[in-house]
Amino acid sequence: MAAGVRGDGGRALETPASGLRSALTWCVLSAGKRRSSGIRLCDPVVGRVEIARSIERDCNAKDRHLAVFRWIEFWPSGGREDRPWTDDPATDALVKSACRVSQAYSDALRDEHFEGPCSSLRFSSHPHDDDAVQLQVSTARHADWEHGIVFVPEVVAELSADDRARLVLDLIHEAVVELAPHRGWSLEQVERVRARVLAQDLEFPWASPWKASSDRSMTARVVFRVADDGLGRAMIEVRERTSGDLVARSAPALAYNALTNFRASARTLRWVNGIVQFIPRPGSPHGEVSVSLDPALPEIHSEPPVGHADVTTAVVTSPEIVRAPYGSHVKDRTPAIKVFSGFGVGLRVGCIPDIDGTDFGEKIELEIFDRLGSGEGGISEWVDGLPIEIVLEYHLPGQVDGFGAYGIRLRRTAKRLNVVVLRDASWCAGGEVAESLVRHEMALVVELVMAALHARAAKRAKMR
């Protein structure tokens, strides 16, 4: 190894004095990955390294503030298969169609290696009464993610799946084009990303590595796609190893909709006594369900349509995209709210009945949303549009000690407001629960959450 080259994980190698009074040492600088280099000038006589330290500081500062831009997301990016993801049909349809397009765009982005202050671009969507889609993009440098806002007209809900997916691509592309000159990105590369998504027919397919059977005669893999409803679909394929002929294909199974989830599911693929098995949704709160396929049975299901099979009875023209300055629209500051219910030992899941055909947790979401939307107590200003996640847990008195005391806890982060509510479950631990008790409990929970939010907002206002 040449003298002066750093090759020991960060410790500079000594350069023997051989007539030279100064030695030039290359310093590999990084945290974890060796990506950037600085030059350190060491003078054993003077001992001054100010120039080198300045270079090192600049390199380190650059490393700290640059990220690889590789992720596009429309919020919310997931939800229940049996419920809308948003309260408005047009925004609900848009964010679901956006799942496959944003995944495809993100996958193409990774090959271009754009660098910037953030690794992701996140869009929020809001309904409005105009005929056009309004797009706003913030070009300011943010610490968390690039920001985009989409105001969605009602007609978006009536578009075909393909037209809505094309609208999503146009929104993403226009946003990235606007960001490009502010981030130093090549427009040629941006166009290349768009062309790749179009070449994939606005779809996001992904297949796991092949796994051979024990006798090496057949091989299997899982093929994933994201459908227009925002959910993933997964199918097992079995082929002959020598000829490559398709032997069997399973029926589509519901899966998650992101590449990381696809990979986690693919790791569960295995051969068991000649039968192929995998788990399409590992770690699911609803329980892990395994899908099996026996190649000995002549079972070849067709691949599920993603968007092309969608047919509308009337011809609906895609709305125009209109650009507007970021923040120029009247912003709806009412945050999205989600309630997750949990039940402790000795309680039956679902022991709290629905109210007027609506889930207990969803009723709480709607009530809190309406009260925040009215501007009550200045809470929306303090929350500032952050999504609110409420974890509502019920425990019997003898089982609550391991979870803390009954009451409420709040924690505000850069991405969301987390609320944990622990409640006494004695009122619903018996048999059938009267509707009046359910309504009473709902009102108590709503008041408890609103009081806690009001107290935190008032404290923040007092500190200003």
Side-chain angles (χ1 to χ4, degrees), residues 100 160-163 165 201-203 226-228 304-311:
R100 60 184 170 112
S160 69
D162 287 340
D163 287 343
D201 289 331
L202 303 168
E203 296 184 16
V226 181
D228 191 64
V306 174
H308 303 289
D310 178 60
V311 178

Side-chain angles (χ1 to χ4, degrees), residues 159-182:
L159 295 175
S160 69
D162 287 340
D163 287 343
R164 197 161 44 242
R166 182 62 179 262
L167 174 64
V168 170
L169 176 61
D170 291 342
L171 287 168
I172 296 173
H173 182 67
E174 289 200 22
V176 176
V177 166
E178 181 166 349
L179 285 168
H182 300 275

Side-chain angles (χ1 to χ4, degrees), residues 29 104 109 114 120 173 221 225 256 371 447:
L29 305 170
L109 269 181
F114 292 130
S120 63
H173 182 67
R221 69 175 182 177
R225 281 180 171 80
Y256 295 127
R371 290 183 60 172
E447 289 300 330

Side-chain angles (χ1 to χ4, degrees), residues 348 350-355 358-361 427-428 432-435 438:
R348 178 175 54 86
C351 60
I352 302 178
D354 295 346
I355 304 176
T358 303
D359 179 76
F360 175 70
W427 67 277
C428 61
E432 186 175 348
V433 181
E435 182 178 317
V438 179

Side-chain angles (χ1 to χ4, degrees), residues 142-160:
H142 299 277
D144 43 15
W145 53 72
E146 306 285 8
H147 292 199
I149 305 175
V150 182
F151 293 92
V152 187
E154 295 180 358
V155 69
V156 170
E158 303 172 21
L159 295 175
S160 69

Side-chain angles (χ1 to χ4, degrees), residues 242-403:
T242 53
S243 65
D245 293 339
L246 181 65
V247 175
R249 181 189 289 131
S250 67
L254 278 179
Y256 295 127
N257 60 8
L259 180 58
T260 53
N261 302 120
F262 292 170
R263 288 172 172 159
S265 176
R267 286 194 289 270
T268 69
L269 180 67
R270 61 191 182 275
W271 287 83
V272 180
N273 298 325
I275 297 176
V276 190
Q277 297 179 347
F278 87 109
I279 300 173
R281 292 196 284 183
S284 170
H286 309 292
E288 293 187 337
V289 178
S290 178
V291 174
S292 300
L293 178 65
D294 187 351
L297 301 176
E299 182 181 3
I300 301 180
H301 292 265
S302 60
E303 297 185 16
V306 174
H308 303 289
D310 178 60
V311 178
T312 53
T313 55
V315 177
V316 180
T317 303
S318 293
E320 177 188 7
I321 298 177
V322 176
R323 304 295 300 280
Y326 185 80
S328 60
H329 199 286
V330 178
K331 186 178 180 181
D332 181 8
R333 300 175 67 87
T334 307
I337 301 165
K338 186 64 181 175
V339 173
F340 300 92
S341 300
F343 300 87
V345 177
L347 298 173
R348 178 175 54 86
V349 176
C351 60
I352 302 178
D354 295 346
I355 304 176
D356 300 328
T358 303
D359 179 76
F360 175 70
E362 187 175 346
K363 291 287 283 187
I364 293 175
E365 293 171 7
L366 295 172
E367 181 66 22
I368 295 177
F369 183 86
D370 289 343
R371 290 183 60 172
L372 291 179
S374 68
E376 180 176 333
I379 297 172
S380 291
E381 285 73 14
W382 172 67
V383 176
D384 194 25
L386 286 176
I388 300 177
E389 291 188 357
I390 302 173
V391 178
L392 180 58
E393 294 191 13
Y394 285 94
H395 298 276
L396 294 172
Q399 305 290 341
V400 74
D401 292 342
F403 300 90

